[in-house]
Amino acid sequence: MTQASVSELDERVPGRRWTVRLDAAGRGSTAVRISCSRPACPEQRLPSAAAGRAAAVAHLKAHLRAAPAPRPGAYCACRADGCHTHLPDTGRHARAEPWRCGGPVVLAVITDREGRWWKAMECCSRCAAATPGAKTAATSQAPGPQTGEEPPTPVAPGAGTPQFSDRQAAAGTGVPAPRSAPARRRPPQAKIAQRVIPHDLRPVALRDELVELGDLFRAYQQRTEPDLKLLADLHERKAQAFTAWADVSGITSLRLEARRAEQAATAARFQHQQRTGGIADSDGPAVPRLLTAPTQGDHARSVLAYVADHSPLPGSEARLLTLMLTLRTAHKGTGNLVGQDLNALGLTDPEDLVEKLTGCGWLTLPGTAGDLLASRPENPTPITIPSLVPRDGEAGPFTFGKKMRPKLSGWAQKVISDKKLRKAKASAGTRLLALTLATQTDAAGRLGPGGQGIALHALTAWVPIESGDLQHLVDQLTTADWLAETALTDTQLTGRLTERVLPLTCPLPA
């Protein structure tokens, strides 16, 4: 009997299957792409994940409508996926035998919980029932057995059929079949954070709050654009609700979930303040800063402070060149450089300055300064700063890693290569001052801690110029639309950076 069953199933055709996937289109973008395993389906690209899920579901439904009905003789397509019916059992019989499949062949649809792929396949009803989350879209119509028997002769009313005293059945009609009782369905379970909210949770106001929060979080996940202020408010409400839930139920994990919600609310509110210029209730557009995290600004200030203390040559031009070379080699003391990198700094005589740095031993080159200035991007010049090369068993002067170094170097290059600074042919001292001021503002762009201004003795330590020459550099930055509302006294510089350059700022800690 078993051999016959195996032979019969071996003759069945394999079940159809296809998959619709939703993947990210690339890094740094919200766009997504939809791919289908059917060769005739082209790839689609949509601007957001919400639009992509809607298009993927519509694509799968179109396939289901166009697909023919499940074939009664199809073999289960779920065997390769290891469904519960085909998984090996720990008992004496293995569950991979084909005769464990059973029931009519159906067209089942499966999706993951995150909504990243949807799969349709032909399998038997037993395997569909054993697969978590599977839904049956269509069922095969197996032909009934042909026994050759004649249909039963209809029985006339009154001959062996029930009769009722209040009315008589009409001639030639039978008694209608009793109406089947409707299937009793359970009410849908309310959930929040993958937790089922009990129906008997008291007080009722707490249960209503949890149900509402679950709906609000699910609605937030469908948004195309983030709203960090709204997200922070939701996490705060969740923390309060879960704390109350833990008090009435005594479940420790609920209290831990409440603490995580408090941390998430704090992080979301801080990100909102960073993007909106430090104003917690601001509804204006977020500032897309080049260095997004506060720690990145701290690393930028640490490099500026290190160069101010270890610059091998005097003057603002030597300080600017030393700073840019330090950013290029900060991780291991080595890096690559091309001539354009030096020519973009606005130096008076870059070749002479490079020769002085190599002459004092601070910089090492494989060739001459002229070779460095003539190098092209396709053939960069390797450079080495011996003082930055880590010694055996010792860490370098900086704590950031190799992935942070190009971010800081790119940020500094963006500042000193600003279009209006280049158009005004700003000097190296002006560009160094612009780079320094970008790290000494509050979140709104006002100079100094809390927007109270920068002390002149600290400013001249970072930018090596005389106090009398500072007004000229400030005027150049004001003309280049970098500074506004400036006031220079004998002790400090006050003002703010313009809105144009706010993305280049690294706000000081509040």
Side-chain angles (χ1 to χ4, degrees):
M1 180 66 181
T2 299
Q3 294 178 355
S5 300
V6 173
S7 175
E8 178 184 352
L9 287 174
D10 288 341
E11 295 176 358
R12 301 170 71 178
V13 296
R16 297 167 298 172
R17 58 186 298 169
W18 67 90
T19 305
V20 179
R21 290 190 58 86
L22 181 67
D23 300 297
R27 292 186 177 180
S29 172
T30 59
V32 296
R33 60 185 178 90
I34 301 174
S35 59
C36 182
S37 60
R38 289 197 169 185
C41 297
E43 185 179 282
Q44 304 180 45
R45 288 180 178 265
L46 291 114
S48 64
R53 290 190 183 93
V57 172
H59 185 87
L60 181 66
K61 288 182 178 179
H63 274 314
L64 295 176
R65 288 193 297 266
R71 300 165 295 179
Y75 195 81
C76 279
C78 60
R79 291 195 68 191
D81 294 339
C83 74
H84 287 192
T85 302
H86 292 114
L87 284 176
D89 196 359
T90 56
R92 56 182 179 179
H93 297 294
R95 298 191 65 182
E97 287 91 357
W99 56 82
R100 288 193 173 270
C101 297
V105 177
V106 299
L107 189 61
V109 179
I110 313 170
T111 182
D112 69 336
R113 296 175 60 180
E114 290 79 11
R116 294 174 297 184
W117 53 261
W118 295 261
K119 183 185 299 182
M121 63 181 180
E122 280 182 318
C123 62
C124 70
S125 58
R126 178 178 293 178
C127 291
T131 303
K135 295 183 179 180
T136 300
T139 306
S140 63
Q141 299 294 333
Q146 302 295 330
T147 60
E149 299 180 358
E150 297 183 356
T153 304
V155 181
T161 59
Q163 301 291 324
F164 298 91
S165 60
D166 57 341
R167 61 173 178 258
Q168 296 294 328
T173 62
V175 177
R179 180 178 299 176
S180 59
R184 182 175 299 178
R185 297 182 179 180
R186 292 183 178 180
Q189 292 180 331
K191 290 186 177 182
I192 179 173
Q194 305 301 323
R195 294 177 180 269
V196 177
I197 304 173
H199 291 281
D200 56 350
L201 181 62
R202 295 295 181 271
V204 178
L206 173 60
R207 186 181 186 280
D208 294 342
E209 172 71 2
L210 291 171
V211 173
E212 182 181 357
L213 279 174
D215 296 337
L216 290 176
F217 272 107
R218 284 184 285 272
Y220 183 86
Q221 293 175 352
Q222 302 300 321
R223 293 175 60 95
T224 57
E225 296 294 336
D227 187 343
L228 296 177
K229 183 177 182 298
L230 173 61
L231 182 61
D233 294 339
L234 290 179
H235 278 300
E236 286 182 353
R237 289 178 57 184
K238 177 184 174 182
Q240 296 174 1
F242 269 65
T243 301
W245 191 2
D247 292 339
V248 299
S249 63
I251 301 176
T252 306
S253 60
L254 294 175
R255 202 173 302 279
L256 298 177
E257 185 73 23
R259 294 177 183 174
R260 287 191 290 267
E262 291 177 355
Q263 296 172 354
T266 303
R269 200 168 298 282
F270 180 75
Q271 293 176 4
H272 175 70
Q273 293 179 8
Q274 290 288 324
R275 295 188 179 187
T276 56
I279 304 173
D281 296 328
S282 173
D283 295 328
V287 178
R289 286 188 168 85
L290 196 62
L291 298 181
T292 55
T295 54
Q296 296 176 353
D298 295 338
H299 291 320
R301 282 182 284 272
S302 69
V303 176
L304 288 172
Y306 176 84
V307 172
D309 295 335
H310 299 82
S311 183
L313 298 175
S316 57
E317 290 194 350
R319 180 71 59 84
L320 180 61
L321 179 58
T322 301
L323 174 62
M324 299 308 294
L325 295 181
T326 300
L327 287 171
R328 283 297 181 94
T329 59
H331 188 241
K332 293 184 177 181
T334 59
N336 293 323
L337 207 66
V338 298
Q340 180 60 32
D341 297 330
L342 299 180
N343 295 327
L345 300 180
L347 304 175
T348 304
D349 190 353
E351 184 174 358
D352 178 67
L353 197 54
V354 171
E355 289 178 351
K356 291 180 179 179
L357 291 176
T358 56
C360 68
W362 186 84
L363 177 66
T364 302
L365 298 176
T368 64
D371 296 336
L372 173 60
L373 291 172
S375 60
R376 305 282 296 174
E378 59 270 14
N379 188 23
T381 300
I383 64 174
T384 302
I385 300 179
S387 59
L388 297 180
V389 177
R391 302 293 188 270
D392 295 337
E394 297 181 1
F398 306 113
T399 58
F400 51 84
K402 61 180 181 180
K403 292 185 178 180
M404 180 63 63
R405 188 211 61 77
K407 291 183 179 180
L408 298 177
S409 180
W411 161 78
Q413 194 71 33
K414 189 83 171 178
V415 173
I416 65 174
S417 302
D418 178 68
K419 180 179 180 180
K420 292 194 175 183
L421 292 180
R422 288 187 286 107
K423 187 176 181 179
K425 297 182 179 180
S427 63
T430 304
R431 301 184 190 212
L432 181 60
L433 178 60
L435 191 63
T436 303
L437 294 181
T439 64
Q440 301 297 319
T441 68
D442 61 5
R446 296 186 298 269
L447 297 180
Q452 301 300 316
I454 306 176
L456 287 191
H457 66 85
L459 193 58
T460 53
W462 296 320
V463 184
I465 57 174
E466 297 294 334
S467 301
D469 299 332
L470 185 59
Q471 183 64 56
H472 176 64
L473 302 185
V474 171
D475 293 340
Q476 282 190 339
L477 290 179
T478 304
T479 304
D481 194 24
W482 263 81
L483 285 175
E485 304 173 6
T486 57
L488 180 61
T489 66
D490 295 337
T491 58
Q492 68 175 3
L493 172 65
T494 59
R496 64 175 179 84
L497 268 65
T498 60
E499 186 176 352
R500 181 181 72 87
V501 298
L502 277 183
L504 301 176
T505 59
C506 306
L508 292 165

